[in-house]
Amino acid sequence: LIFDLDGTLWDATAQITPSWNDVFARYPELGVKLDLTRTKSLMGKTMEEIAAVLFPTLAEKKRNGIIKECCDFEITYLERYGGILYPGLEETLKVLSADYQLFIVSNSQDGYVQTFLQRHELGRYFADIEMSGRTGLNKGGNIRLVVQRNGLDRAAYVGDTTGDQEGARLAGIPFVWAKYGFGQVANADREIENFTELPVLARELL
C-alpha cells in the first residue's frame, strides 16, 4: 500500500498556515496571507505549482525562492508541533504492516515526510518514501519509482485528491480515495470514509 501524506495520513494545515504566513510577512508588498481554507486548497500540489498559484505575477525564480523559505521554516515548525493524525492511524498502520509493505509518496519538499515520521514516531511502519522535492518527478513518476525499486508485483495508492488519482493512473495501479481528506474525486476504484477501513479493503485489493 502506497500512501499520500496530506489529507490521507495527517492534517498539518493548522501548522503550515501560520508558519507560511510568518514568511509572507517578510514580503508585505505581495499582500499574501493564508487561512485554513486556502491552505487546504493547495494540498496535493507540488511546491512549484503552489508558488505559481500564490504568486502568479512573480518571476519563476523569485516565487520559487519564497516558497523554499516557507518550506524550510515549515519543517522547523512541524518538528516542534507536529500535525493532526487521522483517527486510528497508528493502530491501523500496525495492523497493515503485519501483512503488507507500506510506503509514502508525496508531492512535498524533501524532508517533509521524514519530519512526519520522526515527529510522530511512525517510521517503523514504512518500508520506503519518496517526494517530488527530492526526485523532481510528478506523483505518477514517484509511485512508479517506489514500485520498481521495491520490486512490487501488486500495489494500490491511497490519496485524497484528483492529483493523487491521476498519479495512480499514470503508475497503472488502483486508486483508493480517502473521502475524509481535502479533495473531491470522481470514479475512484475504491473509497474509504475512515482510515480504519483499510485492512478489510486491502485484503480485497491485494
Side-chain angles (χ1 to χ4, degrees):
L1 284 169
I2 308 172
F3 296 94
D4 172 51
L5 179 49
D6 291 307
T8 302
L9 300 179
W10 77 345
D11 179 354
T13 53
Q15 291 71 36
I16 292 170
T17 301
S19 70
W20 282 39
N21 282 337
D22 281 355
V23 175
F24 296 152
R26 305 170 195 169
Y27 303 91
E29 69 278 9
L30 298 177
V32 176
K33 187 174 183 180
L34 296 179
D35 58 23
L36 278 176
T37 299
R38 193 170 193 197
T39 301
K40 289 180 179 181
S41 75
L42 300 172
M43 294 295 100
K45 301 181 186 299
T46 65
M47 295 301 104
E48 293 77 14
E49 289 170 339
I50 292 173
V53 169
L54 293 178
F55 312 113
T57 63
L58 292 185
E60 184 177 359
K61 183 177 180 180
K62 176 67 172 178
R63 69 193 187 201
N64 287 343
I66 296 173
I67 290 299
K68 185 179 185 306
E69 288 183 54
C70 291
C71 291
D72 290 345
F73 187 58
E74 170 189 286
I75 293 295
T76 301
Y77 208 87
L78 289 171
E79 285 173 347
R80 180 175 181 183
Y81 296 106
I84 299 172
L85 304 181
Y86 286 110
L89 183 86
E90 183 167 7
E91 297 88 343
T92 305
L93 290 175
K94 184 176 181 180
V95 171
L96 290 170
S97 64
D99 296 315
Y100 308 99
Q101 287 184 294
L102 308 182
F103 308 87
I104 298 174
V105 170
S106 170
N107 273 342
S108 63
Q109 71 273 28
D110 190 13
Y112 185 80
V113 176
Q114 296 94 319
T115 299
F116 160 76
L117 294 175
Q118 292 165 7
R119 179 61 179 77
H120 294 285
E121 300 181 349
L122 298 173
R124 62 187 176 276
Y125 299 114
F126 294 93
D128 196 6
I129 62 173
E130 201 50 87
M131 296 141 283
S132 63
R134 184 159 70 178
T135 66
L137 298 174
N138 61 20
K139 181 70 64 89
N142 277 325
I143 294 173
R144 284 197 299 266
L145 179 62
V146 165
V147 167
Q148 291 166 1
R149 74 183 178 205
N150 290 280
L152 307 182
D153 58 356
R154 284 178 295 171
Y157 189 72
V158 184
D160 66 306
T161 67
T162 55
D164 295 330
Q165 182 181 38
E166 291 165 5
R169 296 281 186 268
L170 285 170
I173 64 174
F175 175 69
V176 179
W177 176 32
K179 293 181 68 175
Y180 53 82
F182 301 133
Q184 293 295 316
V185 174
N187 302 316
D189 296 299
R190 303 297 292 270
E191 58 187 47
I192 54 172
E193 298 273 359
N194 190 292
F195 193 81
T196 58
E197 298 170 23
L198 275 172
V200 171
L201 182 59
R203 286 195 293 273
E204 299 172 3
L205 275 177
L206 302 176

